[in-house]
Amino acid sequence: NAGVTQTPKFQVLKTGQSMTLQCAQDMNHEYMSWYRQDPGMGLRLIHYSVGAGITDQGEVPNGYNVSRSTTEDFPLRLLSAAPSQTSVYFCASSDSGGLSKTQYFGPGTRLLVL
Amino acid sequence: GQQLNQSPQSMFIQEGEDVSMNCTSSSIFNTWLWYKQDPGEGPVLLIALYKAGELTSNGRLTAQFGITRKDSFLNISASIPSDVGIYFCAGQLGTYKYIFGTGTRLKVLA
């Protein structure tokens, strides 16, 4: 199992450009989520999905779109990048069943918006 | 947005010393999680707590779910250099939402 994979690892964008951050998991997890990590802020939830075709907003959703057409993939789209979106982005997945909902995190995508 | 208060923010300790950190919230949580993040990596789950008062160990790590359900503590005994990293607490809010703390950066001096 590769676990949770994210691409790209690094990205530099100009203000106003759009891009998609890719996230995939091969553990057949129903739940997937996107977080951003900023210095001194911990991780903040952007969007999450509890299954294919179902998405919902997290704490900081503005400026981001998501979709979940398959169980495996959960891409995050920046429609018009802004410098405030400079951050490290983490994707996570977990099994929705059972008491333990251990989240497995990907290695992160470091995004710089100029 | 909601945040968990985590302290201390950072700490330098000597190898072999014990370490304590805590996390507090104004909200009640049903689950507390503790993660460790190494540089350039995503967080990795260390310990999960599911019941108020629960005390759980994972090797040299021990975590407790506060009785009030508004706080949690993590202790690391006999620290070693590979303990260096950022430790995050997280509280489960609702079925699928997690709120993370601001992190405690640990540096171990050999």
Side-chain angles (χ1 to χ4, degrees):
Chain A
N1 283 355
V4 180
T5 58
Q6 291 184 238
T7 56
K9 288 189 176 182
F10 303 97
Q11 183 70 49
V12 179
L13 291 178
K14 294 182 179 178
T15 297
Q17 285 185 316
S18 63
M19 79 159 295
T20 299
L21 280 64
Q22 301 292 344
C23 174
Q25 53 89 11
D26 60 0
M27 298 173 281
N28 202 32
H29 285 169
E30 290 295 320
Y31 175 76
M32 297 185 73
S33 56
W34 276 101
Y35 293 87
R36 59 177 290 173
Q37 185 177 31
D38 302 297
M41 296 290 290
L43 287 90
R44 291 182 293 169
L45 183 64
I46 303 172
H47 285 284
Y48 67 97
S49 168
V50 300
I54 306 169
T55 64
D56 206 347
Q57 295 182 348
E59 184 185 356
V60 287
N62 292 341
Y64 307 95
N65 276 1
V66 292
S67 59
R68 184 92 181 271
S69 56
T70 67
T71 299
E72 295 79 18
D73 301 298
F74 190 43
L76 179 71
R77 296 183 185 85
L78 281 69
L79 303 176
S80 179
S84 61
Q85 293 179 304
T86 293
S87 187
V88 182
Y89 292 85
F90 289 99
C91 178
S93 75
S94 68
D95 187 348
S96 60
L99 181 62
S100 172
K101 297 181 176 65
T102 301
Q103 286 198 89
Y104 297 89
F105 283 84
T109 293
R110 283 146 186 81
L111 177 67
L112 173 63
V113 182
L114 302 174
Chain B
Q2 195 166 11
Q3 271 195 317
L4 301 180
N5 298 313
Q6 201 169 335
S7 65
Q9 285 188 334
S10 63
M11 54 195 315
F12 287 84
I13 61 168
Q14 293 285 339
E15 183 177 359
E17 286 185 345
D18 295 344
V19 176
S20 291
M21 61 190 77
N22 68 73
C23 202
T24 61
S25 171
S26 57
S27 301
I28 292 174
F29 291 106
N30 292 322
T31 300
W32 281 95
L33 307 170
W34 284 93
Y35 288 85
K36 183 193 177 196
Q37 184 179 27
D38 292 323
E41 303 290 333
V44 174
L45 183 67
L46 299 173
I47 293 178
L49 302 160
Y50 301 106
K51 203 165 59 172
E54 180 181 351
L55 187 71
T56 298
S57 294
N58 178 8
R60 294 179 295 106
L61 278 63
T62 301
Q64 184 163 24
F65 193 141
I67 291 293
T68 65
R69 294 165 61 193
K70 292 183 178 181
D71 56 8
S72 180
F73 307 87
L74 176 69
N75 295 315
I76 305 173
S77 62
S79 58
I80 59 178
S82 62
D83 289 335
V84 68
I86 305 177
Y87 291 80
F88 290 101
C89 61
Q92 186 175 0
L93 188 68
T95 305
Y96 294 107
K97 290 186 179 181
Y98 297 86
I99 304 297
F100 280 77
T102 51
T104 293
R105 188 180 298 272
L106 179 64
K107 298 188 180 181
V108 180
L109 307 174

